[in-house]
Amino acid sequence: MGTTTDIPEITSSFTEYAIFIVLLPMLAFPVILFLGRLFNGNETWVKSAKEGGLIALPIMVASFILSLILIVEFIGSGTGSYYIGDWLSFGWIGADGMTIEEEVFGVGIYIDHVTVMLLFVASFLCMLINIFSIGYMNTDPVNDNRNHRFYAEFVLFCSGMLGMVLADSFLWLFIFWELMGLCSYLLIGFYYERPSAAYAAKKAFLTTRVGDVFLVIGLVMLWNMFGSLDYSVVFNPDNIAAVDAGELQMALGMMFIGAVGKSAQFPLHVWLPDAMEGPTPVSALIHAATMVNAGLYLVARMFPFFGAPAMAGELVDLAFIIAAIGGITAVMAAAIAFVQDDLKKVLAYSTMSQLAYIFTGLGAALWLANTPGMEKYAIVAFGAALFHLFNHAMAKGMLFMASGSVIHEMHHAHHDVHHHDDHGDDHGDDHNDDHHDDFDAQSMSNMGGLASKMPITATAMLVGSASIMGLPLIGGFWSKEGIIANAWRVALEDPRFFLPAFCVLLGAAMTGFYMSRMWLKTFAGKPKTEVAEHVHEQTPWIPIPLVTLTFVTLSSVILAGMMFTHWSSDSGYAFFSEKGLIDGLIYEFEHVFLNSDAFYFVLTYVAIFIGAIVGPGLAMALYGGALKDGEKAKGWMQPIINLSARVNEKRGFDNSAWADSSLSVALKERLYFDKWYDTAMLKLVAGFAVLSATFDRKVIDGTIKTIERSSQKISLSVRKLTTGSARDYIMMAALGVLVIYAMLEVMI
């Protein structure tokens, strides 16, 4: 898994063109921006080019096709690299004019199984989100004359993610990492005229920069140890054996803090819910395909260090910290999701929780890889974590786009009902900036009964929710089961891991509850408002990615049979191994449902029971209900609606005491982390900024102005001596000579 001594150079004729996967969207950025400024408001530009959307789309399709070719060519072939050329070189010149030391920074492409996974996820979802955006962004008048800016920033963001995945060094990973950070700031603050959006953008940018500072420190330490940041150097087992284990663990720990910030894990998680201020396509892009997965990718990239024989047993403490942060975040985010009423914020906290699952899985995999005798389990644990990244990305991308579809049509229905002239996108109305009736199109309290009105969207959200919950045979079930099992496998060996192991098991029940609650409040029961009664699916383009991702998520059982849960470079025990599809399916079903080990057999069914029965059952009791009389959902959804209605009727209870409890209030306030953040930013950072400004104004500027005033006074005095009389000048010269003579006499 990337621990081989030599990384072979890929000589394929195609690989040299793989750089265009990154360059095409990067070059599209200035083109869309320029054309948008040139033709802004032009009817042809708006209708035929979709304000740049139909320029971005073929570019993203091309990047996806190139990615597929690269993946097909190298899947199962192990690790390889392609060196493109030197980027920067410099040296130090000795006294003899010869170069005594030279540093060369190159650029290239690095391909292994981690690259393949993230490359497909990023390129595929970026393409689908582009399609969704054309239907979403270009049908709202509030976005007139600025969608070109959205598409330009969108393609640059995609370029950053693709470049980070294909980078052959931690240096280039960091460069593209920061490019994504810049683009996320611009996209989250797309509606910059609204103070809440501007604040959210700055909050995301500054919070992630905290992690990035530590990432830079870690990279500097890594450079100091290896003399390079190229994967071919730092992943070489001989080079790893030559460095101090304690120093390496410290460097990787610093880098992990950067991953915590990027993937919104505790305690650097506060920026993610507020990132909902951006348009829904931005939410799908950040929370599914790109930015939040960057931190996971960075941790996955650390695997060769943990798997190196020389480091055996030396890095287990860091592996535990990674898993523990994941476990804590999983439970915390899931608990906050319990009480959220904003549709997109439920998904935001779900994202934090599911990413935390993956961190726990990676922590377990790294522990197993670093522990002698447990290496064979590391492959499965690592594969389960990456497979959950895949499943989560597909499902969450679909869920955010489905939520956008609901919000979009709620806005249109609101306009139709109230005859508004100012309907807009999801944030043109969301925060009630200019609307006299204070209607919130994102609040689930204004929805209900939409299953019969939006069947495509309801189906997509149902399948996506089932995948996130880990319902058997659907999407995330296979990967979540693997993460839970391997976390407990490690816990039986290292008691410290009981904390993250228990957290991910508890998180399964919590996920089942809040995801079921979200779907039921949105699609089940009777419409809660007049607006909800007038909703219907009408916008073109939007259903395309929803239908596509629904089928991808439902196909997970086939992907599991293809050994996606064994994502490694081991040709005998890996994805596309010698095992056929049928053998793979038999293996997965026996391993999951008929495990010969009694502990893991019981653990599997406990996880299924609490995640697929207890959590959803409680949600049905509280939020279930039948549709409005005379309305029916599609055949595959109607039984769920009927079940929720029966459970609600027989088992429903009043939860007002819970809703009014101090814990519920604390969860609604996000456990007050945002208040502490605001205190730190507004009172400490802002206060320091005020003091710095005062010091600058009174001390620095004051000193400079005092010198300036003094020099002006001296110059005025000197000017009085410039009379224009030769006699006066001769006298001053004579006086000067006498003064110099006197000084010399004293010195001698």
Side-chain angles (χ1 to χ4, degrees):
M1 298 188 64
T3 61
T4 56
T5 303
D6 297 315
I7 297 176
E9 181 176 335
I10 296 171
T11 58
S12 165
S13 59
F14 171 74
T15 313
E16 60 185 282
Y17 301 107
I19 190 64
F20 288 101
I21 296 172
V22 181
L23 288 182
L24 285 176
M26 186 175 291
L27 294 174
F29 164 72
V31 173
I32 296 173
L33 205 59
F34 173 76
L35 293 177
R37 297 289 292 180
L38 186 64
F39 299 110
N40 210 359
N42 180 276
E43 185 176 355
T44 303
W45 171 251
V46 173
K47 293 184 177 180
S48 299
K50 300 295 184 182
E51 298 180 85
L54 291 183
I55 297 176
L57 181 57
I59 294 296
M60 297 316 306
V61 171
S63 286
F64 174 61
I65 293 173
L66 291 174
S67 298
L68 277 184
I69 295 173
L70 189 66
I71 291 169
V72 170
E73 187 167 353
F74 297 106
I75 195 73
S77 63
T79 301
S81 64
Y82 177 78
Y83 192 74
I84 296 173
D86 295 341
W87 168 54
L88 176 67
S89 66
F90 59 88
W92 289 265
I93 308 300
D96 57 356
M98 302 293 291
T99 301
I100 58 176
E101 187 174 353
E102 185 177 9
E103 295 289 347
V104 179
F105 296 93
V107 57
I109 294 171
Y110 183 87
I111 304 171
D112 65 358
H113 283 67
V114 181
T115 303
V116 165
M117 174 67 79
L118 270 293
L119 184 61
F120 178 82
V121 168
S123 60
F124 182 56
L125 285 178
C126 283
M127 178 185 66
L128 292 180
I129 293 168
N130 196 153
I131 296 172
F132 175 83
S133 299
I134 295 173
Y136 191 91
M137 300 296 292
N138 293 83
T139 55
D140 289 313
V142 74
N143 293 331
D144 284 351
N145 303 324
R146 62 167 153 186
N147 276 332
H148 67 281
R149 182 164 61 84
F150 168 82
Y151 290 112
E153 294 164 0
F154 171 86
V155 293
L156 189 61
F157 193 114
C158 295
S159 178
M161 180 64 184
L162 295 168
M164 188 201 73
V165 171
L166 289 170
D168 69 336
S169 72
F170 282 112
L171 175 62
W172 276 103
L173 181 150
F174 177 74
I175 291 172
F176 286 111
W177 177 287
E178 292 301 311
L179 178 61
M180 280 196 294
L182 171 63
C183 292
S184 72
Y185 166 77
L186 297 172
L187 288 167
I188 294 171
F190 183 73
Y191 302 110
Y192 58 86
E193 70 277 6
R194 226 177 29 252
S196 57
Y199 176 77
K202 290 185 287 186
K203 187 176 184 178
F205 189 80
L206 293 174
T207 306
T208 53
R209 292 293 78 70
V210 172
D212 291 355
V213 170
F214 289 95
L215 174 58
V216 170
I217 294 172
L219 293 178
V220 170
M221 294 177 66
L222 213 63
W223 173 276
N224 185 60
M225 286 183 285
F226 292 95
S228 175
L229 293 177
D230 293 348
Y231 296 156
S232 58
V233 176
V234 299
F235 292 162
N236 189 310
D238 295 332
N239 295 337
I240 297 174
V243 303
D244 180 74
E247 188 178 356
L248 178 60
Q249 182 165 245
M250 181 61 68
L252 297 179
M254 294 293 103
M255 293 167 64
F256 170 65
I257 296 175
V260 167
K262 211 70 162 182
S263 294
Q265 299 294 285
F266 174 84
L268 299 178
H269 64 281
V270 294
W271 68 270
L272 193 61
D274 292 307
M276 300 298 101
E277 292 290 336
T280 294
V282 174
S283 302
L285 189 68
I286 291 175
H287 297 85
T290 54
M291 188 165 168
V292 292
N293 286 333
L296 297 168
Y297 177 77
L298 178 62
V299 174
R301 271 280 163 254
M302 298 178 186
F303 192 93
F305 296 115
F306 287 80
M311 291 294 150
E314 299 290 342
L315 305 178
V316 291
D317 292 339
L318 178 58
F320 164 71
I321 292 172
I322 294 171
I325 292 293
I328 293 169
T329 308
V331 173
M332 180 196 70
I336 298 175
F338 277 10
V339 298
Q340 296 299 311
D341 206 43
D342 186 298
L343 183 58
K344 286 173 63 177
K345 287 189 177 179
V346 174
L347 296 176
Y349 281 104
S350 171
T351 298
M352 290 167 51
S353 184
Q354 296 306 305
L355 294 176
Y357 262 92
I358 303 171
F359 270 112
T360 301
L362 287 174
L366 296 176
W367 189 96
L368 292 166
N370 199 237
T371 303
M374 306 293 288
E375 298 89 348
K376 64 179 181 179
Y377 298 114
I379 295 175
V380 181
F382 192 73
L386 287 185
F387 193 25
H388 199 58
L389 187 155
F390 174 88
N391 288 324
H392 173 261
M394 299 297 138
K396 193 55 60 70
M398 177 167 56
L399 286 168
F400 268 107
M401 286 186 276
S403 71
S405 177
V406 172
I407 296 166
H408 190 275
E409 301 308 329
M410 287 284 289
H411 280 306
H412 280 282
H414 179 238
H415 171 265
D416 294 338
V417 170
H418 298 284
H419 305 288
H420 283 177
D421 295 324
D422 52 354
H423 71 286
D425 74 307
D426 61 320
H427 278 77
D429 287 340
D430 293 348
H431 298 280
N432 316 311
D433 292 342
D434 304 308
H435 293 80
H436 54 270
D437 58 1
D438 291 334
F439 181 77
D440 187 356
Q442 290 190 192
S443 175
M444 293 184 293
S445 298
N446 293 327
M447 301 174 186
L450 300 185
S452 62
K453 306 175 186 301
M454 305 182 68
I456 296 175
T457 302
T459 301
M461 191 162 278
L462 179 65
V463 173
S465 298
S467 178
I468 298 297
M469 291 161 55
L471 261 63
L473 308 184
I474 298 178
F477 167 75
W478 305 100
S479 50
K480 184 173 281 190
E481 183 275 336
I483 290 174
I484 293 173
N486 284 288
W488 280 94
R489 185 188 306 277
V490 177
L492 296 177
E493 301 292 333
D494 186 344
R496 296 178 299 175
F497 266 79
F498 275 111
L499 171 63
F502 178 77
C503 284
V504 292
L505 187 59
L506 176 63
M510 299 172 76
T511 304
F513 173 78
Y514 71 73
M515 292 302 297
S516 298
R517 170 183 178 268
M518 178 194 70
W519 193 89
L520 292 169
K521 290 193 70 173
T522 305
F523 297 102
K526 296 174 176 58
K528 302 179 182 67
T529 61
E530 185 182 4
V531 172
E533 292 184 354
H534 289 79
V535 166
H536 55 89
E537 277 176 327
Q538 62 180 9
T539 305
W541 293 89
I542 288 180
I544 298 173
L546 297 181
V547 173
T548 302
L549 288 172
T550 297
F551 281 104
V552 171
T553 302
L554 290 173
S555 67
S556 62
V557 63
I558 298 177
L559 299 179
M562 294 167 64
M563 307 304 286
F564 264 60
T565 55
H566 299 71
W567 199 263
S568 80
S569 57
D570 185 349
S571 62
Y573 194 64
F575 175 61
F576 276 138
S577 66
E578 285 86 358
K579 289 185 174 69
L581 176 60
I582 302 300
D583 292 335
L585 287 171
I586 294 173
Y587 169 84
E588 287 295 330
F589 275 92
E590 288 182 346
H591 176 75
V592 173
F593 298 108
L594 300 172
N595 200 305
S596 58
D597 190 305
F599 177 82
Y600 295 106
F601 179 87
V602 173
L603 181 65
T604 296
Y605 286 96
V606 168
I608 293 174
F609 177 74
I610 63 177
I613 298 177
V614 175
L618 181 59
M620 288 180 179
L622 290 171
Y623 305 104
L627 298 177
K628 185 179 179 180
D629 291 343
E631 294 190 352
K632 293 285 186 181
K634 293 293 184 181
W636 54 85
M637 286 188 290
Q638 192 60 47
I640 299 173
I641 300 289
N642 295 338
L643 178 62
S644 76
R646 287 197 295 270
V647 173
N648 182 262
E649 182 180 355
K650 294 183 178 182
R651 304 295 180 185
F653 57 91
D654 183 13
N655 68 329
S656 57
W658 151 253
D660 297 333
S661 67
S662 57
L663 177 58
S664 179
V665 173
L667 292 174
K668 289 179 181 177
E669 294 294 328
R670 308 181 188 182
L671 296 176
Y672 304 105
F673 279 109
D674 290 79
K675 183 180 290 186
W676 298 338
Y677 175 90
D678 290 340
T679 299
M681 293 300 296
L682 298 179
K683 293 185 179 180
L684 297 178
V685 177
F688 178 77
V690 171
L691 290 175
S692 299
T694 303
F695 178 81
D696 184 62
R697 185 176 62 256
K698 293 186 176 181
V699 178
I700 306 300
D701 289 349
T703 302
I704 294 173
K705 289 180 180 179
T706 300
I707 295 173
E708 181 183 6
R709 286 193 296 267
S710 300
S711 63
Q712 287 177 346
K713 290 180 180 179
I714 294 172
S715 65
L716 289 173
S717 300
V718 173
R719 286 179 62 184
K720 292 179 181 179
L721 298 176
T722 57
T723 62
S725 172
R727 184 182 63 185
D728 294 340
Y729 295 152
I730 293 171
M731 289 180 63
M732 286 188 287
L735 181 61
V737 171
L738 291 173
V739 171
I740 293 172
Y741 177 77
M743 292 176 64
L744 291 173
E745 284 291 330
V746 172
M747 293 174 64
I748 295 171

